[in-house]
């Protein structure tokens, strides 16, 4: 089954404790992206990657890092999480990026709470 | 100004009703348009792309008005399973980002 797999689904952590949210896709998509979703703000792009070793900032990259060492994986790293990073996070992939008529395939989401 | 604006609703309609959502976008360079559906606490899923000439997929019809910079979604013969939040999404040529509206919540009532 074609899918984007995120882990964990739920995470509660403390301020400053580094964490990684994993994302993996099995569709051989070149484009991958991370979004956060907050009430009243919609989904906002954090980082995206056009291909292996090619990453760039989205609209809200502060406090996040990403890497793309393999085509299928695109982990999101929070080096020192803060409470304002409490949010619902989605990883997405696409065959041809934002212009694709096929749209994005999203992972199931990671609900992160930073206390 | 937000890239994409939608009426948050909620829209509460009886089964079988026809309901329409509109959204407006701010950037005239926008070239790709979509409607996504998001169920509560789930990931967004592509409902349909929106083409300049308008397009239909079963009970769903999407229209694009470039002059007025708005997109619409019409749902006919509403089903209980249509209850969800509908996200209006746009992208500009060459951009590597989709801009999401905050969504319009629909509840179909038995």
């Amino acid at each position: 089954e074609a899918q984007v797999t995120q882990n964990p689904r739920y995470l509660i952590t403390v301020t400053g404790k580094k964490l990684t949210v994993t994302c993996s896709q099995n569709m051989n998509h070149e484009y991958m992206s991370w979004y956060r979703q907050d009430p009243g703000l919609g989904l906002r792009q954090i980082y995206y990657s056009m291909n292996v070793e090619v990453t760039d900032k989205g609209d809200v990259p502060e406090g996040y890092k990403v890497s793309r060492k393999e085509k299928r994986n695109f982990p999101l790293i929070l080096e020192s999480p803060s409470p304002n990073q409490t949010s619902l996070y989605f990883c997405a992939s696409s065959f041809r990026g934002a212009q694709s008529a096929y749209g994005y395939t999203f992972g199931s989401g990671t609900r992160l709470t930073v206390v | 100004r937000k890239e994409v604006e939608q009426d948050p609703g909620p829209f509460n309609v009886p089964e079988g009703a026809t309901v329409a959502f509109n959204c407006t976008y701010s950037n005239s360079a926008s070239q790709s348009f979509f409607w996504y559906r998001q169920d509560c606490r789930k990931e967004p899923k592509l409902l349909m792309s929106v083409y300049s000439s308008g397009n239909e997929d079963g009970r769903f019809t999407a229209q694009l008005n470039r002059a007025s910079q708005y997109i619409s979604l019409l749902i006919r013969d509403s089903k209980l399973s249509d209850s969800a939040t509908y996200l209006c999404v746009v992208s500009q040529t060459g951009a590597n980002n989709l801009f999401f509206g905050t969504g319009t919540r629909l509840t179909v009532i038995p």
Side-chain angles (χ1 to χ4, degrees):
Chain A
E1 181 189 352
Q3 61 185 359
V4 177
T5 302
Q6 279 181 243
N7 280 296
R9 291 292 308 276
Y10 302 92
L11 179 59
I12 301 175
T13 190
V14 296
T15 300
K17 185 176 181 181
K18 180 179 179 180
L19 66 91
T20 300
V21 184
T22 63
C23 174
S24 180
Q25 51 94 4
N26 63 0
M27 295 166 282
N28 202 36
H29 285 167
E30 293 186 343
Y31 179 91
M32 297 185 75
S33 184
W34 276 102
Y35 284 82
R36 59 178 290 174
Q37 186 174 30
D38 302 289
L41 296 176
L43 282 94
R44 294 177 294 166
Q45 190 183 54
I46 302 170
Y47 269 93
Y48 66 92
S49 170
M50 297 297 291
N51 213 326
V52 175
E53 302 291 2
V54 181
T55 63
D56 209 345
K57 297 176 180 179
D59 297 320
V60 288
E62 293 77 21
Y64 305 95
K65 285 175 58 177
V66 293
S67 69
R68 188 92 182 272
K69 299 187 187 314
E70 306 166 279
K71 197 171 188 178
R72 62 183 293 125
N73 294 324
F74 190 43
L76 179 70
I77 303 155
L78 285 73
E79 294 271 1
S80 182
S82 61
N84 65 11
Q85 292 178 296
T86 293
S87 187
L88 178 59
Y89 291 85
F90 288 104
C91 180
S93 74
S94 171
F95 178 60
R96 282 177 54 197
Q99 308 303 313
S100 172
Y102 299 103
Y104 287 6
T105 300
F106 283 86
S108 300
T110 296
R111 187 166 292 279
L112 172 66
T113 302
V114 184
V115 299
Chain B
R1 185 181 173 186
K2 290 183 178 178
E3 293 279 344
V4 181
E5 302 218 40
Q6 293 182 251
D7 179 348
F11 285 66
N12 300 315
V13 303
E15 270 186 292
T18 295
V19 61
F21 309 135
N22 292 326
C23 88
T24 58
Y25 59 94
S26 61
N27 192 327
S28 60
S30 297
Q31 289 293 328
S32 300
F33 309 91
F34 309 90
W35 283 101
Y36 277 71
R37 171 196 169 122
Q38 186 174 24
D39 293 297
C40 188
R41 299 190 187 89
K42 297 285 186 71
E43 73 273 22
K45 292 185 178 178
L46 179 65
L47 180 65
M48 57 197 304
S49 299
V50 185
Y51 302 115
S52 296
S53 55
N55 48 299
E56 188 174 305
D57 183 1
R59 298 181 293 109
F60 299 85
T61 300
Q63 296 280 351
L64 169 64
N65 185 319
R66 286 187 184 273
S68 301
Q69 295 182 203
Y70 82 78
I71 308 155
S72 65
L73 177 68
L74 183 77
I75 305 175
R76 292 181 299 278
D77 188 23
S78 299
K79 312 291 185 191
L80 295 177
S81 58
D82 293 334
S83 297
T85 296
Y86 291 84
L87 306 174
C88 178
V89 184
V90 305
S91 180
Q92 287 91 45
T93 301
N96 292 300
N97 191 8
L98 291 179
F99 294 97
F100 287 78
T102 52
T104 298
R105 185 174 177 83
L106 170 67
T107 301
V108 181
I109 303 163

